[in-house]
Amino acid sequence: AEIIGGWARSMQGDTATGLAQLRQGFDAMRATGAELRSPFYYALLAQACAQAGMRGEALANISNGLAFQNKNGEFWAAPYLHLVHGDVLLREGSRVEALSTYQRALEAAQQTGARLLAIRAAVRMWQTDPSHGLSRSTLQELCSRVTEGFETDDLRDARRILDNTSAIGRHN
């Protein structure tokens, strides 16, 4: 609860308090020897660090999360780790690297069956560079696989892209 609560607090703008709470919760968990879900918690920590403008620490936490995932075989968190990594890269202006990282997030999401994260990765690719090579039909296919959560930001963003590209196609 401390980890998720700290992350949420950080994302809502109480960055310093949220980050401290997240770290305290994660440190307490690790002190028990527990490692389950560590890749995901590293992603949350990286996201909170990025929110606080701590780019180096955000990237270090992403690296730690990827290392833990490989060590423990917890690949379900890979899409989220790559999405956070792409966001950090994009925030610093590294569009090409961010796009490549979002592509890895999309691939990881498809491999793990994380449908909404696949859509989020595809949307981020599209928003980063509409000419990146991801086809409209691929985004449409990703959206068609979702059976719930139709009002999530990810699906609304995807529908907006699909609607806009459909409108552009009708005017050309």
Side-chain angles (χ1 to χ4, degrees):
E2 290 245 5
I3 296 170
I4 302 297
W7 169 82
R9 203 172 198 169
S10 181
M11 294 298 102
Q12 292 173 348
D14 190 0
T15 312
T17 304
L19 192 52
Q21 181 182 344
L22 195 163
R23 283 185 177 134
Q24 181 180 2
F26 196 25
D27 289 345
M29 183 197 87
R30 287 185 299 195
T32 69
E35 294 182 345
L36 189 63
R37 296 185 191 93
S38 286
F40 178 66
Y41 296 148
Y42 274 115
L44 295 181
L45 188 53
Q47 195 173 24
C49 287
Q51 180 86 1
M54 303 163 69
R55 178 197 171 275
E57 193 170 337
L59 292 173
N61 282 302
I62 290 163
S63 292
N64 289 337
L66 292 170
F68 256 90
Q69 136 191 312
N70 292 332
K71 175 185 168 200
N72 295 347
E74 282 191 78
F75 296 102
W76 62 270
Y80 197 69
L81 277 162
H82 291 303
L83 280 164
V84 172
H85 188 195
D87 292 346
V88 171
L89 293 169
L90 189 60
R91 188 177 282 169
E92 70 181 21
S94 302
R95 289 184 58 194
V96 172
E97 287 109 348
L99 192 58
S100 173
T101 304
Y102 291 143
Q103 178 65 46
R104 282 195 298 279
L106 175 59
E107 291 165 4
Q110 289 174 316
Q111 289 169 356
T112 60
R115 293 175 183 161
L116 283 175
L117 291 178
I119 291 169
R120 185 179 302 171
V123 165
R124 296 258 172 82
M125 289 172 68
W126 206 286
Q127 291 169 336
T128 302
D129 181 3
S131 64
H132 55 68
L134 181 74
S135 70
R136 182 181 189 286
S137 63
T138 299
L139 183 57
Q140 205 163 21
E141 181 185 335
L142 289 170
C143 290
S144 73
R145 294 180 186 165
V146 175
T147 57
E148 60 185 319
F150 298 112
E151 293 307 313
T152 63
D153 288 343
D154 297 321
L155 275 173
R156 278 196 292 262
D157 290 344
R159 281 195 304 268
R160 202 170 305 123
I161 289 168
L162 291 170
D163 290 347
N164 288 342
T165 56
S166 176
I168 290 167
R170 285 193 302 267
H171 295 298
N172 287 336

